[in-house]
Amino acid sequence: MSDWNVSADAVERYMRETSAMVGLSIAEEYIIGVKNYLQISLRMMAVLEVVPLSIGDDFGPVFRA
């Protein structure tokens, strides 16, 4: 498994730089929540990354309206 232990400072720097790059302003009162979500996303990605999948796998039901 890849090492996705990214420091909180690196996550915040990434969040601020990428949001500025796309013209998205994040209010200061939301910074902690957004940063926490990004850290959770990194942990989820690390778990999913180790699951071997092939194109023939059944990925589950698909909702069709």
Side-chain angles (χ1 to χ4, degrees), residues 34-57:
V34 173
K35 185 169 70 171
N36 287 339
Y37 179 77
L38 287 173
Q39 290 171 313
I40 290 168
S41 297
L42 283 170
R43 290 194 303 270
M44 290 189 310
M45 180 178 61
V47 170
L48 293 174
E49 188 178 55
V50 298
V51 177
L53 297 174
S54 72
I55 196 67
D57 289 340

mmCIF file of all heavy atoms in Angstrom, residues 34-57:
data_model
loop_
_atom_site.group_PDB
_atom_site.id
_atom_site.type_symbol
_atom_site.label_atom_id
_atom_site.label_comp_id
_atom_site.label_asym_id
_atom_site.label_seq_id
_atom_site.Cartn_x
_atom_site.Cartn_y
_atom_site.Cartn_z
ATOM 1 N N VAL A 34 -13.124 21.251 5.686
ATOM 2 C CA VAL A 34 -12.662 20.825 4.364
ATOM 3 C C VAL A 34 -11.353 20.046 4.502
ATOM 4 O O VAL A 34 -11.162 18.999 3.887
ATOM 5 C CB VAL A 34 -12.488 22.037 3.417
ATOM 6 C CG1 VAL A 34 -11.838 21.622 2.101
ATOM 7 C CG2 VAL A 34 -13.832 22.712 3.174
ATOM 8 N N LYS A 35 -10.463 20.540 5.346
ATOM 9 C CA LYS A 35 -9.185 19.862 5.567
ATOM 10 C C LYS A 35 -9.410 18.468 6.161
ATOM 11 O O LYS A 35 -8.797 17.493 5.711
ATOM 12 C CB LYS A 35 -8.300 20.703 6.486
ATOM 13 C CG LYS A 35 -6.913 20.135 6.668
ATOM 14 C CD LYS A 35 -5.978 21.106 7.350
ATOM 15 C CE LYS A 35 -6.330 21.304 8.787
ATOM 16 N NZ LYS A 35 -5.318 22.068 9.525
ATOM 17 N N ASN A 36 -10.313 18.363 7.124
ATOM 18 C CA ASN A 36 -10.622 17.053 7.713
ATOM 19 C C ASN A 36 -11.180 16.101 6.666
ATOM 20 O O ASN A 36 -10.822 14.920 6.624
ATOM 21 C CB ASN A 36 -11.607 17.192 8.870
ATOM 22 C CG ASN A 36 -10.987 17.786 10.098
ATOM 23 O OD1 ASN A 36 -9.774 17.756 10.271
ATOM 24 N ND2 ASN A 36 -11.802 18.335 10.969
ATOM 25 N N TYR A 37 -12.067 16.596 5.802
ATOM 26 C CA TYR A 37 -12.632 15.756 4.754
ATOM 27 C C TYR A 37 -11.550 15.275 3.793
ATOM 28 O O TYR A 37 -11.540 14.110 3.387
ATOM 29 C CB TYR A 37 -13.732 16.498 3.984
ATOM 30 C CG TYR A 37 -14.293 15.645 2.892
ATOM 31 C CD1 TYR A 37 -15.196 14.627 3.177
ATOM 32 C CD2 TYR A 37 -13.888 15.817 1.578
ATOM 33 C CE1 TYR A 37 -15.694 13.810 2.179
ATOM 34 C CE2 TYR A 37 -14.380 15.009 0.572
ATOM 35 C CZ TYR A 37 -15.278 14.015 0.874
ATOM 36 O OH TYR A 37 -15.754 13.204 -0.113
ATOM 37 N N LEU A 38 -10.626 16.141 3.421
ATOM 38 C CA LEU A 38 -9.537 15.725 2.539
ATOM 39 C C LEU A 38 -8.679 14.647 3.186
ATOM 40 O O LEU A 38 -8.264 13.685 2.527
ATOM 41 C CB LEU A 38 -8.677 16.928 2.149
ATOM 42 C CG LEU A 38 -9.303 17.905 1.167
ATOM 43 C CD1 LEU A 38 -8.422 19.135 1.005
ATOM 44 C CD2 LEU A 38 -9.558 17.243 -0.169
ATOM 45 N N GLN A 39 -8.432 14.766 4.496
ATOM 46 C CA GLN A 39 -7.648 13.749 5.200
ATOM 47 C C GLN A 39 -8.405 12.417 5.255
ATOM 48 O O GLN A 39 -7.801 11.357 5.069
ATOM 49 C CB GLN A 39 -7.285 14.235 6.598
ATOM 50 C CG GLN A 39 -6.260 15.360 6.562
ATOM 51 C CD GLN A 39 -6.036 16.004 7.910
ATOM 52 O OE1 GLN A 39 -6.977 16.338 8.608
ATOM 53 N NE2 GLN A 39 -4.779 16.178 8.269
ATOM 54 N N ILE A 40 -9.713 12.461 5.470
ATOM 55 C CA ILE A 40 -10.535 11.248 5.453
ATOM 56 C C ILE A 40 -10.489 10.624 4.062
ATOM 57 O O ILE A 40 -10.353 9.403 3.913
ATOM 58 C CB ILE A 40 -11.987 11.559 5.869
ATOM 59 C CG1 ILE A 40 -12.050 11.915 7.351
ATOM 60 C CG2 ILE A 40 -12.913 10.382 5.550
ATOM 61 C CD1 ILE A 40 -13.382 12.510 7.779
ATOM 62 N N SER A 41 -10.585 11.452 3.030
ATOM 63 C CA SER A 41 -10.543 10.958 1.648
ATOM 64 C C SER A 41 -9.221 10.254 1.349
ATOM 65 O O SER A 41 -9.197 9.224 0.664
ATOM 66 C CB SER A 41 -10.735 12.106 0.663
ATOM 67 O OG SER A 41 -12.002 12.680 0.830
ATOM 68 N N LEU A 42 -8.125 10.784 1.852
ATOM 69 C CA LEU A 42 -6.825 10.139 1.659
ATOM 70 C C LEU A 42 -6.794 8.767 2.318
ATOM 71 O O LEU A 42 -6.270 7.807 1.747
ATOM 72 C CB LEU A 42 -5.701 11.013 2.220
ATOM 73 C CG LEU A 42 -5.296 12.204 1.382
ATOM 74 C CD1 LEU A 42 -4.355 13.108 2.165
ATOM 75 C CD2 LEU A 42 -4.651 11.747 0.090
ATOM 76 N N ARG A 43 -7.355 8.659 3.521
ATOM 77 C CA ARG A 43 -7.395 7.352 4.211
ATOM 78 C C ARG A 43 -8.291 6.368 3.459
ATOM 79 O O ARG A 43 -7.950 5.185 3.332
ATOM 80 C CB ARG A 43 -7.849 7.524 5.652
ATOM 81 C CG ARG A 43 -6.804 8.215 6.522
ATOM 82 C CD ARG A 43 -7.088 8.081 8.009
ATOM 83 N NE ARG A 43 -8.387 8.572 8.411
ATOM 84 C CZ ARG A 43 -8.649 9.822 8.787
ATOM 85 N NH1 ARG A 43 -7.679 10.721 8.798
ATOM 86 N NH2 ARG A 43 -9.856 10.179 9.152
ATOM 87 N N MET A 44 -9.431 6.834 2.944
ATOM 88 C CA MET A 44 -10.318 5.948 2.180
ATOM 89 C C MET A 44 -9.620 5.485 0.904
ATOM 90 O O MET A 44 -9.729 4.322 0.517
ATOM 91 C CB MET A 44 -11.627 6.659 1.845
ATOM 92 C CG MET A 44 -12.509 6.887 3.041
ATOM 93 S SD MET A 44 -14.183 7.489 2.692
ATOM 94 C CE MET A 44 -13.935 8.859 1.622
ATOM 95 N N MET A 45 -8.898 6.381 0.254
ATOM 96 C CA MET A 45 -8.193 6.024 -0.964
ATOM 97 C C MET A 45 -7.147 4.953 -0.688
ATOM 98 O O MET A 45 -6.993 4.007 -1.466
ATOM 99 C CB MET A 45 -7.527 7.264 -1.569
ATOM 100 C CG MET A 45 -6.775 6.971 -2.841
ATOM 101 S SD MET A 45 -6.027 8.428 -3.584
ATOM 102 C CE MET A 45 -4.912 8.946 -2.310
ATOM 103 N N ALA A 46 -6.450 5.065 0.425
ATOM 104 C CA ALA A 46 -5.430 4.071 0.768
ATOM 105 C C ALA A 46 -6.054 2.694 0.961
ATOM 106 O O ALA A 46 -5.479 1.684 0.551
ATOM 107 C CB ALA A 46 -4.690 4.506 2.031
ATOM 108 N N VAL A 47 -7.240 2.629 1.562
ATOM 109 C CA VAL A 47 -7.930 1.349 1.756
ATOM 110 C C VAL A 47 -8.357 0.781 0.408
ATOM 111 O O VAL A 47 -8.145 -0.403 0.112
ATOM 112 C CB VAL A 47 -9.155 1.523 2.680
ATOM 113 C CG1 VAL A 47 -10.014 0.275 2.688
ATOM 114 C CG2 VAL A 47 -8.713 1.872 4.095
ATOM 115 N N LEU A 48 -8.957 1.605 -0.429
ATOM 116 C CA LEU A 48 -9.456 1.142 -1.726
ATOM 117 C C LEU A 48 -8.333 0.749 -2.675
ATOM 118 O O LEU A 48 -8.497 -0.129 -3.517
ATOM 119 C CB LEU A 48 -10.332 2.213 -2.365
ATOM 120 C CG LEU A 48 -11.645 2.488 -1.650
ATOM 121 C CD1 LEU A 48 -12.351 3.664 -2.288
ATOM 122 C CD2 LEU A 48 -12.533 1.259 -1.645
ATOM 123 N N GLU A 49 -7.200 1.386 -2.533
ATOM 124 C CA GLU A 49 -6.087 1.126 -3.428
ATOM 125 C C GLU A 49 -5.575 -0.314 -3.336
ATOM 126 O O GLU A 49 -5.059 -0.851 -4.303
ATOM 127 C CB GLU A 49 -4.947 2.102 -3.128
ATOM 128 C CG GLU A 49 -3.829 2.049 -4.126
ATOM 129 C CD GLU A 49 -2.763 3.063 -3.797
ATOM 130 O OE1 GLU A 49 -2.247 3.046 -2.665
ATOM 131 O OE2 GLU A 49 -2.459 3.879 -4.661
ATOM 132 N N VAL A 50 -5.720 -0.955 -2.190
ATOM 133 C CA VAL A 50 -5.186 -2.308 -2.012
ATOM 134 C C VAL A 50 -6.155 -3.399 -2.462
ATOM 135 O O VAL A 50 -5.797 -4.563 -2.487
ATOM 136 C CB VAL A 50 -4.755 -2.561 -0.548
ATOM 137 C CG1 VAL A 50 -3.637 -1.623 -0.143
ATOM 138 C CG2 VAL A 50 -5.921 -2.478 0.396
ATOM 139 N N VAL A 51 -7.380 -3.035 -2.840
ATOM 140 C CA VAL A 51 -8.361 -4.023 -3.285
ATOM 141 C C VAL A 51 -8.103 -4.339 -4.757
ATOM 142 O O VAL A 51 -8.206 -3.459 -5.608
ATOM 143 C CB VAL A 51 -9.806 -3.498 -3.104
ATOM 144 C CG1 VAL A 51 -10.808 -4.501 -3.638
ATOM 145 C CG2 VAL A 51 -10.076 -3.177 -1.648
ATOM 146 N N PRO A 52 -7.760 -5.600 -5.047
ATOM 147 C CA PRO A 52 -7.496 -5.942 -6.446
ATOM 148 C C PRO A 52 -8.806 -6.036 -7.236
ATOM 149 O O PRO A 52 -9.740 -6.714 -6.833
ATOM 150 C CB PRO A 52 -6.817 -7.313 -6.349
ATOM 151 C CG PRO A 52 -7.287 -7.886 -5.059
ATOM 152 C CD PRO A 52 -7.561 -6.718 -4.151
ATOM 153 N N LEU A 53 -8.878 -5.334 -8.341
ATOM 154 C CA LEU A 53 -10.060 -5.354 -9.196
ATOM 155 C C LEU A 53 -9.639 -5.667 -10.624
ATOM 156 O O LEU A 53 -8.561 -5.284 -11.061
ATOM 157 C CB LEU A 53 -10.768 -3.988 -9.173
ATOM 158 C CG LEU A 53 -11.320 -3.521 -7.846
ATOM 159 C CD1 LEU A 53 -11.847 -2.103 -7.975
ATOM 160 C CD2 LEU A 53 -12.420 -4.451 -7.366
ATOM 161 N N SER A 54 -10.518 -6.335 -11.332
ATOM 162 C CA SER A 54 -10.279 -6.554 -12.754
ATOM 163 C C SER A 54 -11.510 -6.083 -13.518
ATOM 164 O O SER A 54 -12.588 -5.906 -12.950
ATOM 165 C CB SER A 54 -9.990 -8.025 -13.048
ATOM 166 O OG SER A 54 -11.172 -8.786 -12.923
ATOM 167 N N ILE A 55 -11.376 -5.928 -14.798
ATOM 168 C CA ILE A 55 -12.466 -5.414 -15.622
ATOM 169 C C ILE A 55 -13.680 -6.350 -15.593
ATOM 170 O O ILE A 55 -14.812 -5.914 -15.779
ATOM 171 C CB ILE A 55 -11.985 -5.138 -17.068
ATOM 172 C CG1 ILE A 55 -12.954 -4.254 -17.814
ATOM 173 C CG2 ILE A 55 -11.733 -6.429 -17.811
ATOM 174 C CD1 ILE A 55 -13.053 -2.856 -17.312
ATOM 175 N N GLY A 56 -13.469 -7.611 -15.309
ATOM 176 C CA GLY A 56 -14.564 -8.576 -15.299
ATOM 177 C C GLY A 56 -15.301 -8.670 -13.978
ATOM 178 O O GLY A 56 -16.285 -9.407 -13.868
ATOM 179 N N ASP A 57 -14.849 -7.955 -12.961
ATOM 180 C CA ASP A 57 -15.502 -8.020 -11.649
ATOM 181 C C ASP A 57 -16.904 -7.430 -11.693
ATOM 182 O O ASP A 57 -17.180 -6.507 -12.454
ATOM 183 C CB ASP A 57 -14.682 -7.268 -10.596
ATOM 184 C CG ASP A 57 -13.404 -7.988 -10.226
ATOM 185 O OD1 ASP A 57 -13.326 -9.213 -10.470
ATOM 186 O OD2 ASP A 57 -12.490 -7.338 -9.706
#
